[in-house]
Amino acid sequence: MSEAQSRVVEFAIGGMTCAACSARLEKVLNRQPGMQANVNLAAERARIRLEGAADEAAVIAAVAKAGFSAEPADAGTREREKAEKLLAYRHELRRFWIAVALTLPLVGQMLFMLGEHGHANELPRWLQLALATPVQFWIGWRFYDGAFKALRGGGANMDVLVALGTSMAWGFSTVVTLFGLDQHVYFEGGAAVITLVLLGKLLEARAKARTSEAIEALIRLQPKTARVERDGQWIEMPVDALMPGDVFLVRPGESVPVDGEVVDGESSINESMLTGESMPVGKHAGDWVFAATGNGQGALRCRATGVGEQTLLAGIIRLVGEAQGSKAPVQRLADQISAIFVPVVCAIALVTFIGWWWYAGDFAEALVNAVAVLVIACPCALGLATPTAIMVGTGQGARAGILVRNAEALERAERISVLALDKTGTLTCGQPQVTDIVPRGVGREEAVRFAAALEQHSEHPLAHAVLAAHEGGELPRVENFRAWSGLGVEGVVEGRQLRLGSPDWLGIPVDAEIAGMQAAGKTVVGLMHDGRLLALLAIADALRPTSRQAVARLRERGIRLVMLTGDNAATAAAIAAEAGIDEFRAGVLPGDKAALVGELKAEGGLVAMVGDGINDAPALAAADVSFAIGAGSDVAVEAADLTLIRSDLLGAVDAIDLSARTLGKIRQNLFFAFVYNVLGIPLAAFGMLNPVVAGAAMAMSSVSVVSNSLLLKRWQPTGRKA
């Protein structure tokens, strides 16, 4: 299927109340031709892959037929939804307090009826009917409306259970009241259940809103305007109007409006919202800056490179949204159960009613127990157990510089048994650095100055390392410069004929010191003047400062580590030993990395891969779980399941820890949701649970599941702790 024929569209869904709703809607959409849907109850979103002739109009029509509403989610949808939900929340809050005012007299009389005079303290039944009826049909209309739409769509949901249970209690009590029968009435039961369920929904709405705080915070970081250079003048204009190539100014204390490259100026940028690293990063000409990061004391003149949806921040928001809307495999069990849950509960309620009427001969008692079964069995907690934890977990990950592509990757990360590590750019810094300077005929600083002067016109990677070692000051001119490919360079500096290159080219005998540095995986070059050795410089791609700590933490988790590198065995052994890794594969060609990952998978266990370069993309795609170092190529990031924006292996440690914490919360939530129903339904069926108590328990179950997920906000990226 070509890209033109297949596209993914996100829709905002209205009208879902429980797990049965989302499961039924997903089934309805997946039955439509050209649609592959994933419905998220907590986020109230549906991500749908449209193929062939299927379009947005067909989705909206199918959703409406199922009893819900849908609209494509765009950049303005979130703010519009937020405003609409706030209005709806306030409206529901007013209705709740009205319900409380009408229900309290009904429930309060029950306390007085426990006293000495019993039923003498009962409110007149006509007054009970007058108080309960508005609660039942005005306040509780949302349940009838939801139940009708669900049944019309061919399914059943929580609204069906609440509407059926409370209607039975109200209907029986009304008949007793109108005909003056000698039976107890249960107006307080139906009214209290509706009021408590409404309270649960309000608390749930508040808690659910907090699960998306992370992505809301990211969106708020985006500046609205930028100062752009036009015909030599600085003008204020909307960020949306910027184009790649525009030159913009970032003044002290301002946020960077779009991604760009520094043209001139010096400052420090706080990139903690991207990387989780609190220390500011120094910026000068040639460095990259990213949208929404905070500028320090200096002014920066930058050229825009990424605007609109092409900024790193926009990519983060998009990935977080996709991850929050995706479904973890552990949720499939909950979906399968919720799809058949409501019909089964209705059957249990019917059996309870018939059984009690036959056993006790008391219609009222049979009715109360059946109502309790219907009320206690609400599957809300079951539907919220997984998505709320995923939403909070992925949001916390984004704050720590960990982008999760989908919930399945987050679930699998905690089960990693083998981790394949690319050396260059992952364990090491990815850039050669001068690690040793051994003066032989001149001082250390003068040796570096002469070497940097020779290399200032060279494009070789080792030349950049030598230039980086020069700590400042103007370099002397080099005359008669000549580069010998693969050997070294030569030229005249301050009247001296100098040569810088390999010991073999310079004719330097390999002594114990040179041999030792070469055995450690370092490239050794010599600086010579008229046949006299002035200094030795050792250059290597140094280990990242945090790599050894990250390796130790991964080994503590029992993960087998295998380093992959194209270097020779001696260099590979030196780096592996320095990092604390026992197992490595040296001389691995780029095309062979994927095959090696396949071999590791064949040995059993879940295999993950960490890489940063284009040549790592096939291996990342072949792994069960893949991590891309964010400073690497876009190709590697696109191929990876998890992206570590901070170029640091400790990010993988944090990601695995976050996975374990999130999955722990999901298991706790599912356990509580299942146990709640497994214990609650039998108690209600055997007459041990009053409908009012059942309503309160049902309302609080959803709130407790969401609140438990929100405890993930306490998670911190432990990998950066000493």
Side-chain angles (χ1 to χ4, degrees), residues 98-364:
I98 294 172
V100 169
L102 295 172
T103 303
L104 274 178
L106 296 171
V107 175
Q109 70 169 341
M110 303 299 295
L111 301 176
F112 293 107
M113 288 175 64
L114 296 174
E116 185 178 338
H117 300 289
H119 286 283
N121 295 318
E122 184 181 10
L123 291 175
R125 291 187 175 180
W126 62 266
L127 180 57
Q128 293 188 49
L129 175 61
L131 291 170
T133 300
V135 177
Q136 184 69 42
F137 296 105
W138 177 47
I139 305 296
W141 178 252
R142 56 177 291 169
F143 301 112
Y144 288 100
D145 183 54
F148 171 74
K149 289 177 178 177
L151 294 171
R152 185 186 64 184
N157 61 3
M158 179 207 76
D159 293 329
V160 172
L161 297 179
V162 175
L164 186 58
T166 57
S167 295
M168 288 169 63
W170 181 89
F172 173 78
S173 302
T174 300
V175 170
V176 169
T177 300
L178 294 178
F179 290 95
L181 303 179
D182 186 21
Q183 292 282 346
H184 181 67
V185 292
Y186 299 95
F187 286 119
E188 79 287 343
V193 165
I194 287 175
T195 303
L196 287 168
V197 172
L198 195 57
L199 173 62
K201 284 293 177 186
L202 289 170
L203 294 174
E204 181 186 308
R206 286 186 62 184
K208 280 168 65 178
R210 291 183 60 199
T211 64
S212 58
E213 279 182 357
I215 196 168
E216 294 286 353
L218 289 174
I219 292 171
R220 286 195 297 270
L221 290 171
Q222 292 179 294
K224 304 299 182 188
T225 60
R227 293 180 65 81
V228 182
E229 190 175 33
R230 287 284 190 273
D231 300 324
Q233 301 292 320
W234 294 105
I235 62 170
E236 195 95 7
M237 60 187 297
V239 168
D240 294 341
L242 263 69
M243 298 291 288
D246 283 343
V247 175
F248 61 89
L249 178 68
V250 187
R251 293 176 295 188
E254 291 183 339
S255 292
V256 180
V258 295
D259 291 359
E261 183 181 5
V262 178
V263 176
D264 56 57
E266 288 190 8
S267 185
S268 60
I269 298 283
N270 183 350
E271 297 183 343
S272 59
M273 49 78 62
L274 293 177
T275 65
E277 177 57 57
S278 58
M279 291 297 293
V281 180
K283 300 289 181 180
H284 48 77
D287 288 338
W288 299 102
V289 294
F290 303 101
T293 54
N295 187 25
Q297 299 303 311
L300 296 173
R301 185 166 166 264
C302 311
R303 179 174 291 105
T305 56
V307 300
E309 292 299 309
Q310 279 68 54
T311 65
L312 179 59
L313 178 65
I316 291 173
I317 293 171
R318 188 166 55 250
L319 273 177
V320 172
E322 289 175 3
Q324 291 185 343
S326 63
K327 192 169 293 186
V330 72
Q331 192 176 344
R332 291 172 189 153
L333 176 62
D335 288 347
Q336 291 168 357
I337 292 174
S338 62
I340 61 171
F341 193 77
V342 175
V344 169
V345 168
C346 290
I348 293 173
L350 180 61
V351 170
T352 300
F353 176 75
I354 295 171
W356 273 99
W357 197 5
W358 172 80
Y359 172 74
D362 188 335
F363 178 86

Side-chain angles (χ1 to χ4, degrees), residues 381-449:
L382 195 61
L384 294 169
T386 300
T388 52
I390 292 293
M391 289 177 72
V392 178
T394 52
Q396 287 299 100
R399 288 181 175 179
I402 302 165
L403 296 186
V404 183
R405 182 169 295 280
N406 55 58
E408 184 173 0
L410 190 66
E411 178 178 334
R412 293 163 72 89
E414 72 152 356
R415 296 188 285 113
I416 293 170
S417 58
V418 181
L419 183 61
L421 302 162
D422 176 55
K423 179 185 77 70
T424 305
T426 301
L427 281 169
T428 64
C429 296
Q431 295 179 338
Q433 298 175 354
V434 175
T435 58
D436 302 90
I437 301 172
V438 184
R440 290 285 178 94
V442 293
R444 179 188 179 93
E445 291 183 6
E446 191 172 11
V448 174
R449 181 168 164 270

Side-chain angles (χ1 to χ4, degrees), residues 423 518-522 563-578 581-588:
K423 179 185 77 70
Q518 289 179 333
K522 301 173 183 179
M563 186 184 80
L564 308 181
T565 177
D567 288 339
N568 59 58
T571 301
I575 291 292
E578 187 181 356
I581 297 174
D582 298 327
E583 193 175 348
F584 63 87
R585 304 282 195 276
V588 180

Side-chain angles (χ1 to χ4, degrees), residues 383-661:
L384 294 169
T386 300
T388 52
I390 292 293
M391 289 177 72
V392 178
T394 52
Q396 287 299 100
R399 288 181 175 179
I402 302 165
L403 296 186
V404 183
R405 182 169 295 280
N406 55 58
E408 184 173 0
L410 190 66
E411 178 178 334
R412 293 163 72 89
E414 72 152 356
R415 296 188 285 113
I416 293 170
S417 58
V418 181
L419 183 61
L421 302 162
D422 176 55
K423 179 185 77 70
T424 305
T426 301
L427 281 169
T428 64
C429 296
Q431 295 179 338
Q433 298 175 354
V434 175
T435 58
D436 302 90
I437 301 172
V438 184
R440 290 285 178 94
V442 293
R444 179 188 179 93
E445 291 183 6
E446 191 172 11
V448 174
R449 181 168 164 270
F450 284 149
L454 282 174
E455 295 283 27
Q456 63 184 306
H457 298 303
S458 174
E459 293 299 323
H460 194 280
L462 296 185
H464 297 302
V466 173
L467 286 168
H470 183 248
E471 296 180 353
E474 188 175 347
L475 289 172
R477 290 180 56 190
V478 57
E479 299 173 344
N480 301 327
F481 174 80
R482 183 176 180 183
W484 298 83
S485 180
L487 300 173
V489 294
E490 65 178 348
V492 177
V493 178
E494 295 181 346
R496 303 186 188 188
Q497 180 67 41
L498 299 175
R499 304 178 84 194
L500 182 72
S502 67
D504 290 342
W505 181 56
L506 298 176
I508 301 171
V510 178
D511 57 18
E513 190 168 27
I514 294 175
M517 289 188 288
Q518 289 179 333
K522 301 173 183 179
T523 299
V524 180
V525 295
L527 177 66
M528 188 168 279
H529 168 52
D530 290 337
R532 174 169 164 256
L533 182 63
L534 300 181
L536 292 171
L537 286 78
I539 302 171
D541 185 5
L543 200 70
R544 291 186 188 275
T546 55
S547 289
R548 189 170 182 84
Q549 180 191 2
V551 166
R553 290 183 179 272
L554 289 166
R555 294 185 66 166
E556 285 173 8
R557 287 185 168 274
I559 297 174
R560 172 189 169 197
L561 301 175
V562 182
M563 186 184 80
L564 308 181
T565 177
D567 288 339
N568 59 58
T571 301
I575 291 292
E578 187 181 356
I581 297 174
D582 298 327
E583 193 175 348
F584 63 87
R585 304 282 195 276
V588 180
L589 296 174
D592 295 336
K593 289 182 180 179
L596 271 172
V597 169
E599 290 177 15
L600 293 171
K601 288 171 69 174
E603 295 173 14
L606 202 72
V607 177
M609 170 74 186
V610 185
D612 77 318
I614 293 174
N615 58 8
D616 295 326
L620 291 170
D624 295 312
V625 181
S626 52
F627 301 85
I629 296 292
S633 72
D634 291 339
V635 177
V637 172
E638 287 297 319
D641 297 315
L642 298 101
T643 300
L644 314 176
I645 296 178
R646 187 169 183 250
S647 296
D648 189 335
L649 187 59
L650 279 174
V653 180
D654 294 338
I656 294 169
D657 182 58
L658 177 62
S659 169
R661 297 290 185 88

